[in-house]
Each structure stands twice: as C-alpha cells, then as structure tokens.
Amino acid sequence: MVVSKNSEIPVPTLDYDRASELKAFDDTKDGVKGFVDTGVTKIPRIFHQPLDEFEKDSTSSSTQLGVPSIDLEDVHKDPTRRKVVVEKIREASETWGFFQIVNHGIPVSVLEEMKNGVLSFYEQDSEVKRELYTCDPIRPLVYNSKFDLYSSPAANWRDTFYGFMAPHPQVLKFSSS
C-alpha cells in the first residue's frame, strides 16, 4: 500500500492482500486523520464492510436501543442513593460497556475545554501524534486506529485517543501549532 498526497490505495481485485494493506496503514502511525490529510479521494478496501455483514446489520432496524443514563444528583448526600447509582453503573458496564452520566457537576466550560483539547491533539503535526501511537496498555496516553484493526472484517474509519488519569497521570505538553 502506498499513500501519497494525491494517491489512492491500489486494490487489484484478484491480488488483494488485506494483511499487507492493514500493516502498511498501521505502520504509518498517522491514523485515519493522517490518511484523510493526504487528500485521499476514495475509501480504501480495508475499510469496506463486507456486504453480508452490512445486510445482517441493516435487517435489525426495528430494534431501538438507548444508552443507559445515570443520574448522579444527590449521590454524595444520600448513602442509599449512592448504592443505587453504583448498582446502575455496574449493570450498565456489564450489559453495555458504557453509559451516560447526568448531573455530574462538571461545568460546561470544563467539558468544552476537554473537547477543544482533543480537537487540538488531532490537529497537531503527524510527527507529534506518532510519538503516542501505540496499543501498549501501560502508556498513560494512547493514540491509535487499532482497536480491532487486524481482527475485524473491516477496519474502523476512526482514530482513538485516550488517557489514564489516575492514580498518577503523566503530564505531557503538546505543541499549540
């Protein structure tokens, strides 16, 4: 796989080597954002969802699901309420793997600052982001496109950036350019 300013990844139908293309994409350490920044005009085959999987997913449109929402109001005042909230968090974590928190007390300005920080990270030069490109779970900050890159039938058109904040977060400074 070759990625250049105006290139598309050549994908011969008969000679498609998915493993090589996945590795070439991963080796750039630029992620999807870096790939898009090259000016690509066609989504590469490694990101194409197999038709049989797409059809299977699209037939379940009658199921409506909602993200669990957990209200933290008064959780610090009432031990009984705290116990109920802890149980809801446990249930949502085990069943869904994620949940939404409301009435958490975090000011909107702090949430906006967090979003702006993440956007600033993604807008940095690729060289800076490559330093954090890893799947090493011990690293305090991780940037990658590898969540299930080699195991899923299609690569996900996304990049991931996350950090561990406790017990001892590592402070890193990012360029502001």
Side-chain angles (χ1 to χ4, degrees):
M1 173 176 91
V2 177
V3 178
S4 65
K5 270 290 189 210
N6 58 2
S7 72
E8 295 176 5
I9 297 175
V11 183
T13 307
L14 298 175
D15 292 336
Y16 178 56
D17 183 356
R18 179 174 167 73
S20 293
E21 290 196 15
L22 286 169
K23 184 174 180 343
F25 170 76
D26 195 25
D27 285 350
T28 68
K29 297 184 177 184
D30 286 337
V32 172
K33 170 81 168 73
F35 186 68
V36 169
D37 288 349
T38 67
V40 68
T41 59
K42 186 175 180 183
I43 296 175
R45 189 168 173 183
I46 62 172
F47 295 100
H48 292 190
Q49 184 71 26
L51 286 178
D52 58 335
E53 291 294 317
F54 180 74
E55 290 168 0
K56 182 172 37 175
D57 288 345
S58 66
T59 59
S60 63
S61 61
S62 63
T63 303
Q64 292 193 1
L65 304 173
V67 173
S69 182
I70 299 171
D71 189 345
L72 296 185
E73 188 171 11
D74 294 332
V75 73
H76 62 286
K77 295 178 184 175
D78 179 0
T80 304
R81 172 91 177 111
R82 182 180 187 283
K83 191 173 184 174
V84 169
V85 168
V86 168
E87 177 59 24
K88 286 183 177 183
I89 291 171
R90 184 199 59 76
E91 183 180 323
S93 297
E94 288 177 356
T95 305
W96 288 79
F98 57 90
F99 48 87
Q100 176 185 14
I101 297 289
V102 296
N103 294 320
H104 43 67
I106 301 171
V108 171
S109 61
V110 172
L111 297 175
E112 290 299 322
E113 193 174 328
M114 289 171 57
K115 284 187 345 188
N116 290 336
V118 171
L119 289 172
S120 294
F121 171 79
Y122 283 110
E123 292 303 323
Q124 293 184 102
D125 288 337
S126 293
E127 295 79 31
V128 176
K129 292 184 286 190
R130 284 183 198 129
E131 292 178 29
L132 299 174
Y133 195 89
T134 183
C135 277
D136 183 353
I138 295 182
R139 299 268 307 262
L141 294 172
V142 174
Y143 167 60
N144 65 45
S145 297
K146 304 181 181 195
F147 175 70
D148 57 359
L149 185 63
Y150 293 99
S151 61
S152 66
N156 286 296
W157 188 259
R158 67 147 187 262
D159 293 327
T160 301
F161 174 62
Y162 64 89
F164 295 100
M165 302 300 168
H168 304 289
Q170 179 179 353
V171 177
L172 296 177
K173 299 209 182 238
F174 297 107
S175 67
S176 59
S177 56

